[in-house]
Amino acid sequence: MPALLPDDANARARAIAWMFAALNTVEPPLVELAVAALFERDKPWCEQRLPVVRDRARKPLGQLSARLGDAGWLDGAFSAGDLMMAAVLFRSKELGILDEFPNLSTYVARGEARPAFKRAFAAQLAVFKQSTG
């Protein structure tokens, strides 16, 4: 089974760069959108704020969508970069914004279909359910 970080130094560096991109470029505006859509919806200013944060989230998603194109994974073979990016995008599915980027929705579905993702998600969900009783 191939490792999540490739043996080739350049490919390994690209995988790590994608991990940082997921957490530092793609995720922050998606978290901001989630906060606005889920926790601030009852605020009087939310109707004005929501389109702004949605547009802010579209920019990195558009760039990611263009970079991914019709490829299966970000840099050829599945790597830790894909794992991190798919996890970030997965949490944003319910916001509806991924519907605007069909290739990203398909990318997330490919990530979700991986047996390791299913096992990890089930384990994380079990811990969450146990902690919320």
Side-chain angles (χ1 to χ4, degrees), residues 53-109:
V53 295
R54 188 170 288 278
D55 284 344
R56 199 173 295 140
R58 280 186 184 108
K59 183 177 179 183
L61 292 177
Q63 293 168 334
L64 178 62
S65 176
R67 169 57 178 78
L68 181 64
D70 61 359
W73 304 112
L74 293 170
D75 193 40
F78 181 82
S79 74
D82 293 295
L83 178 64
M84 188 67 66
M85 190 67 75
V88 164
L89 296 174
F90 172 79
R91 291 195 319 268
S92 300
K93 284 179 16 177
E94 299 303 318
L95 299 172
I97 195 163
L98 289 184
D99 298 340
E100 299 176 30
F101 305 93
N103 66 332
L104 295 183
S105 293
T106 303
Y107 172 75
V108 171

Side-chain angles (χ1 to χ4, degrees), residues 3 11 16 25 30 38 48-49 51 62 64 66 72 74 76 80 83 92 94 96 112 117-118 120 133:
I16 292 169
T25 302
L30 291 174
L38 301 173
Q48 292 175 318
R49 185 177 190 303
L64 178 62
L74 293 170
L83 178 64
S92 300
E94 299 303 318
E112 284 181 86
F117 183 95
K118 291 178 183 178

